[in-house]
Amino acid sequence: MALLELEGVTRRFGALVALDQVAMAVEEGEVRAVIGPNGAGKTTLFNVITGTVKPSAGTIRFAGESIGGQPSHHVCRLGLSRTFQITALFPEMSARENARLAAQARHARRWQPFGGAGVFRQAAALADAALEQLGLTSIGDTPAGLLSHGDQRLLEVAMAMAQQPRVLLLDEPTQGLSVEETAQAVDTLARFLQASRMTVLLVEHDMEVVFRLAHRITVLHRGAVIADSTPDAVKADPAVQDAYLGGFA
Ligand SMILES: Nc1ncnc2c1ncn2[C@@H]1O[C@H](COP(=O)(O)OP(=O)(O)OP(=O)(O)O)[C@@H](O)[C@H]1O
Ligand SMILES: [Mg+2]
């Protein structure tokens, strides 16, 4: 059984069909890229999976449990954590404090019985482990707002990892980065993915990054899946070339 399974997932905004009968199955340990033109529905797909937006129809199963339409804090507690397309961190707090707060957000209820100090210690340990996974240990005390853009994007990944997810959803982790910053961040991400064997859903416009990191690629076009295959097969698919890649291969 796939860890994450979608069937017939549809989301309408008025007359607009942002997601159109999306089916997809993500296996444990897989890095799945989701690509497609602007407005194809990629972020909406993340929103319906993580409970930020309710699907209009269809089913979403995570580890066998139906999560479609469940609130996002519940979905997060079950083990799906995400980053956002737009940077979302507290700029005046240190990198470590940002990661600690993220850890606490997932585990708040479970840890309440241990009281304040216990919660803090547990969350701090998870934050340190996550910073280490993303190569950020040395900047742990730096205010997030003073980090380079590349480190800010990696910190967001660390914040998601501090929640100990079973599935990590990354929405354009290299958005807004320069060519050099992208290369560095992707090296770090590649090492992290290799070492952690995380199950990942990755939205990314940079095709070099996609073809380097992804095991499998889902292509969305006007809300519908037009291809779902290995990177090589997707690259060679004429429908994908037409809709999106425009001769990338
Ligand atoms: N809350 C909303 N209300 C109305 N329309 C929305 C809403 N969210 C998304 N849409 C529309 O749904 C479509 C899909 O948007 P979405 O943000 O999922 O695309 P995307 O593939 O992530 O695009 P990009 O590559 O630009 O990030 C777009 O036409 C968008 O305008
Ligand atoms: Mg988007």
Side-chain angles (χ1 to χ4, degrees), residues 4-243:
L4 180 67
E5 258 181 313
L6 281 67
E7 265 173 39
V9 171
T10 296
R11 170 66 208 206
R12 296 183 205 91
F13 294 109
L16 175 81
V17 184
L19 292 174
D20 187 3
Q21 301 274 339
V22 170
M24 122 187 227
V26 180
E27 302 291 334
E28 184 133 38
E30 181 181 336
V31 177
R32 171 72 60 101
V34 178
I35 67 172
N38 291 119
K42 304 178 297 294
T43 296
T44 304
L45 181 69
F46 274 23
N47 288 341
V48 298
I49 292 171
T50 56
T52 314
V53 158
K54 281 186 201 286
S56 311
T59 59
I60 305 172
R61 266 190 305 277
F62 171 60
E65 180 169 343
S66 175
I67 58 165
Q70 302 264 2
S72 55
H73 60 88
H74 178 71
V75 173
C76 178
R77 221 171 293 129
L78 288 177
L80 286 106
S81 295
R82 75 178 292 181
T83 65
F84 289 87
Q85 191 167 352
I86 313 276
T87 297
L89 28 78
F90 295 106
E92 272 145 41
M93 298 177 73
S94 72
R96 183 174 290 110
E97 286 168 319
N98 271 280
R100 179 175 56 74
L101 279 182
Q104 258 169 258
R106 173 176 178 185
H107 292 288
R109 266 187 215 178
R110 178 145 54 98
W111 287 348
Q112 230 125 60
F114 300 105
V119 172
F120 186 92
R121 260 199 309 278
Q122 289 245 39
L126 290 175
D128 283 340
L131 290 178
E132 170 142 25
Q133 278 185 297
L134 275 306
L136 297 174
T137 302
S138 64
I139 54 83
D141 294 325
T142 306
L146 297 182
L147 296 174
S148 69
H149 289 132
D151 283 349
Q152 288 186 358
R153 298 318 306 244
L154 291 173
L155 173 57
E156 290 175 86
V157 180
M159 288 162 65
M161 284 303 293
Q163 300 183 324
Q164 296 185 294
R166 286 186 72 190
V167 177
L168 177 65
L169 298 96
L170 305 177
D171 197 349
E172 302 208 34
T174 70
Q175 168 152 311
L177 300 186
S178 69
V179 176
E180 300 86 63
E181 287 173 326
T182 297
Q184 272 187 14
V186 172
D187 282 346
T188 303
L189 280 177
R191 271 197 301 276
F192 153 66
L193 292 176
Q194 189 106 49
S196 66
R197 297 172 177 273
M198 270 304 293
T199 309
V200 174
L201 250 65
L202 167 73
V203 168
E204 179 56 59
H205 275 292
D206 185 329
M207 285 303 111
E208 303 276 358
V209 175
V210 167
F211 286 112
R212 177 155 171 212
L213 298 181
H215 302 143
R216 202 176 166 88
I217 301 176
T218 298
V219 186
L220 282 180
H221 184 51
R222 299 199 176 117
V225 174
I226 60 164
D228 182 329
S229 197
T230 61
D232 285 340
V234 162
K235 223 185 275 187
D237 186 324
V240 177
Q241 285 289 344
D242 274 2

